[in-house]
Amino acid sequence: MRDTLKEIQGLDAELLAFDPHEAWSAKYLLKEVGFTTDDVNYPLLMDPALTVSADYGVPFQMRIHTEWSTRPATFIVDKEGVLRYAKRGAAYNDRPRPADVVAELQKLQADN
Amino acid sequence: MPRLLNTFTVTMVVIACGSLPMCESTTRAQDASSDSVIASEDGSKSQFPKFAEFASSWSDDQWVPRSGRRFVGHIRSLESDQWQLRMLALHEAVAAGEVAVPFLIDRLQQGKAHERILAAQPLGYLAKHAPMEPLLEALKNDEDSAVKLYAADALGMRGDAKVGERWSDFAGKIRNRDVRRHMGYAEERGGAPIEDAIVEQLANWDPATMNSAEVGKPAPDFELSTVGGETVKLSNYRGKKNVVLVFIYGDT
């Protein structure tokens, strides 16, 4: 993950992750596994109001154990602010491979 | 979203009052168990929020079961639009504010399981106005673990520093691991209530932007705080960087 992150950043891109909870909840989880927020090496955006998740079409679509949560999903926005790639997972582990994301970003670079 | 139009039309008519001024006047729950109508004092009946209708249209039938060796979870089929109904129900209840609380409490106490879930979650965002006892009762005795979980959330979101003492006499009897963890979250808050900014973001959200992210079109803009408290705005990257957005599913 860390290597892929570097590769993504090397392709003139920023990775933003979304968590549909309040910040203290993520802090609590990080603490449970021995980390702090300083150990999160990409922006982890908290979306407890679920409005960004809703705009991107992903909330209330996973039922993991007891809670309803966001569907796994990956989007790529280009420098003009246009959505160029969208993958909403059909299963809990249905995500693009890191290499797929890198390839999409390389395509964007080639287009420019 | 042409396929959703009918559902939406019905839904929006049902909940349209959420944004109307008359709904902001002092109101009371009226005959909530039969037709779920909240009427304002001046007699102008509004249809907000017809949770009973939500609960009947919010079917839970489009789940794709996924199982693995150590994991059993569910995901909605990509075609399902049920999540949108739930988002609308949540938004409209929170947008209505304090006036919705008596109705939500009634549904929490009297509703079917889906209604109780739909009612318990917005009570968290409205926690400032929510009474403790019905939430404690739901946490203690509800048959549905999801209701318990959202009740635990709401009890924490009220900003009660002594929330752990409130449930100490029955906490040991709660076996569901996720509910127990959310009770831990609630205690971890140390009395910090849900932030007004979060409530306002949900209340002021425009449902017309729901599911508007479409390839080839401008990506819906957003401004959110990181876990470390920094503000990130998508449009700030314009002209500078591509952005990869990754929605991780929050496993309780």
Side-chain angles (χ1 to χ4, degrees):
Chain A
M1 178 68 189
R2 197 162 293 217
D3 290 345
T4 308
L5 191 62
K6 275 193 182 144
E7 205 171 347
I8 286 172
Q9 286 162 349
L11 285 162
D12 216 10
E14 179 79 90
L15 183 143
L16 305 176
F18 295 79
D19 182 325
H21 291 104
E22 289 170 84
W24 61 265
S25 148
K27 288 176 191 167
Y28 180 80
L29 281 176
L30 285 165
K31 202 166 75 178
E32 248 188 0
V33 288
F35 291 102
T36 74
T37 53
D38 294 339
D39 297 309
V40 183
N41 53 358
Y42 50 86
L44 177 60
L45 273 53
M46 311 312 295
D47 183 30
L50 304 176
T51 54
V52 178
S53 303
D55 288 350
Y56 282 82
V58 298
F60 296 125
Q61 297 176 8
M62 289 280 291
R63 196 168 60 189
I64 309 167
H65 310 309
T66 307
E67 191 178 20
W68 275 257
S69 192
T70 51
R71 177 189 290 281
T74 304
F75 301 88
I76 297 176
V77 182
D78 72 13
K79 287 183 188 177
E80 308 307 314
V82 174
L83 189 64
R84 297 290 291 265
Y85 174 87
K87 165 76 177 175
R88 297 179 180 89
Y92 73 95
N93 55 359
D94 181 20
R95 299 182 169 284
R97 291 174 305 152
D100 296 336
V101 175
V102 168
E104 290 293 330
L105 288 170
Q106 284 167 338
K107 258 199 293 189
L108 284 186
Q109 280 207 322
D111 289 350
N112 287 336
Chain B
M1 307 173 285
R3 205 175 60 76
L4 288 168
L5 207 57
N6 286 338
T7 311
F8 258 106
T9 308
V10 172
T11 305
M12 295 313 288
V13 166
V14 168
I15 63 181
C17 180
S19 55
L20 296 180
M22 66 177 181
C23 307
E24 288 164 18
S25 60
T26 311
T27 62
R28 61 202 157 87
Q30 201 177 62
D31 199 14
S33 58
S34 63
D35 63 3
S36 314
V37 168
I38 287 180
S40 54
E41 293 280 343
D42 65 7
S44 57
K45 271 198 178 181
S46 79
Q47 290 182 295
F48 177 82
K50 282 200 170 183
F51 260 62
E53 288 190 28
F54 266 132
S56 58
S57 53
W58 186 58
S59 70
D60 214 16
D61 60 353
Q62 287 167 300
W63 295 96
V64 181
R66 308 290 308 180
S67 46
R69 269 178 305 167
R70 298 193 305 143
F71 178 93
V72 176
H74 292 77
I75 188 166
R76 289 197 194 283
S77 71
L78 281 163
E79 292 73 32
S80 169
D81 55 20
Q82 291 300 314
W83 67 272
Q84 303 196 8
L85 281 178
R86 180 151 174 198
M87 187 68 198
L88 285 171
L90 177 65
H91 159 69
E92 290 297 333
V94 175
E98 187 175 2
V99 58
V101 170
F103 173 78
L104 294 171
I105 292 290
D106 177 81
R107 291 298 82 200
L108 181 69
Q109 294 172 325
Q110 313 283 343
K112 295 173 187 165
H114 290 166
E115 288 178 280
R116 301 200 305 276
I117 294 167
L118 285 172
Q121 192 178 23
L123 281 169
Y125 295 93
L126 299 172
K128 195 185 279 183
H129 312 291
M132 179 177 68
E133 286 302 332
L135 292 167
L136 267 184
E137 174 67 20
L139 174 62
K140 184 180 180 182
N141 289 328
D142 203 286
E143 292 167 7
D144 190 295
S145 293
V147 179
K148 284 177 182 278
L149 183 144
Y150 288 117
D153 280 355
L155 284 163
M157 291 154 103
R158 291 178 74 248
D160 181 352
K162 294 187 173 177
V163 69
E165 292 175 30
R166 313 292 184 201
W167 56 49
S168 58
D169 62 323
F170 64 86
K173 290 178 186 154
I174 292 180
R175 291 276 161 254
N176 182 291
R177 198 185 59 170
D178 305 313
V179 177
R180 293 186 65 85
R181 178 171 258 176
H182 277 245
M183 290 165 71
Y185 292 170
E187 292 189 54
E188 180 74 11
R189 304 184 78 108
I194 178 83
E195 289 170 33
D196 289 342
I198 295 170
V199 180
E200 283 161 22
Q201 189 186 332
L202 179 52
N204 297 332
W205 173 69
D206 179 2
T209 65
M210 181 151 53
N211 208 20
S212 61
E214 215 174 304
V215 171
K217 293 190 173 171
D221 197 16
F222 55 79
E223 183 176 315
L224 291 175
S225 295
T226 68
V227 69
E230 290 162 45
T231 301
V232 171
K233 192 169 160 66
L234 177 65
S235 51
N236 284 351
Y237 292 100
R238 196 163 299 171
K240 297 173 192 157
K241 281 190 173 186
N242 305 306
V243 188
V244 181
L245 314 177
V246 179
F247 287 83
I248 54 178
Y249 53 88
D251 187 353
T252 46

